């Protein structure tokens, strides 16, 4: 089966409509052409139908748009990883402090041992957050 005859789903139709909306916002399509192409994109059944709706858009603009979307996805994934790392750190720190309090109350041993793993782990978390934050800011300026 040829790629042109491959059926498309709702997600692909909506992605094509989003490309058309961005093209109209950038001035590549006028209002009437945007309406026609959007209707064609939503009515598309095959890949060829979608390709016709997206025809004649500047390839350089499409590549730049795809690159921007990819950078946005990478930045979102990096921020999520950073948040998960920070959440694990805070939960682990709270658990260690809870154990320290329980041992201190039960046995009277009040040496503040949690400070050492909390500091060590905190350096690792900072070593993750700082470069990710810089990279995300750098991607945002592109």
């Amino acid at each position: 089966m040829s790629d042109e005859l491959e059926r498309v789903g709702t997600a692909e139709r909506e992605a094509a409509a989003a490309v058309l909306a961005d093209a109209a916002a950038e001035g590549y399509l006028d209002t009437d052409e945007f309406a026609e192409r959007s209707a064609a994109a939503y009515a598309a059944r095959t890949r060829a139908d979608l390709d016709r709706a997206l025809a004649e858009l500047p390839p350089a603009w499409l590549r730049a748009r795809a690159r921007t979307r990819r950078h946005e996805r990478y930045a979102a994934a990096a921020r999520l990883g950073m948040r998960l790392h920070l959440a694990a750190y805070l939960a682990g720190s709270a658990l260690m402090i809870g154990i320290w309090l329980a041992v201190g109350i039960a046995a009277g041993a009040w040496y503040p041992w949690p400070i050492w793993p909390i500091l060590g782990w905190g350096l690792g978390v900072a070593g993750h957050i700082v470069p990710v934050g810089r990279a995300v800011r750098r991607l945002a300026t592109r």
Side-chain angles (χ1 to χ4, degrees):
M1 184 181 229
S2 171
D3 284 343
E4 289 183 354
L5 298 177
E6 181 180 284
R7 301 225 3 137
V8 293
T10 303
E12 292 161 312
R13 289 183 199 103
E14 289 176 355
V19 170
L20 292 169
D22 288 348
E26 293 286 327
Y28 292 113
L29 301 174
D30 62 22
T31 307
D32 295 334
E33 189 176 12
F34 169 67
E36 290 170 14
R37 288 183 182 223
S38 293
Y42 281 116
R45 293 181 185 258
T46 64
R47 177 90 38 223
D49 295 338
L50 273 184
D51 289 344
R52 278 191 293 278
L54 296 173
E56 299 173 1
L57 291 177
W61 177 78
L62 289 171
R63 283 191 301 274
R65 183 183 181 280
R67 185 174 49 250
T68 300
R69 299 283 187 227
R70 189 171 53 252
H71 288 301
E72 289 170 357
R73 284 193 310 272
Y74 289 158
R79 284 191 300 269
L80 176 62
M82 189 173 62
R83 286 185 190 117
L84 291 174
H85 195 180
L86 183 60
Y89 168 70
L90 293 174
S93 297
L95 177 66
M96 286 185 277
I97 291 170
I99 292 170
W100 172 71
L101 284 172
V103 169
I105 291 170
W110 289 103
Y111 177 74
W113 63 265
I115 192 73
W116 304 116
I118 289 172
L119 282 176
W121 195 0
L123 289 174
V125 170
H128 182 192
I129 289 175
V130 170
V132 167
R134 286 182 185 156
V136 167
R137 282 190 299 277
R138 192 171 45 249
L139 286 175
T141 60
R142 286 186 180 179

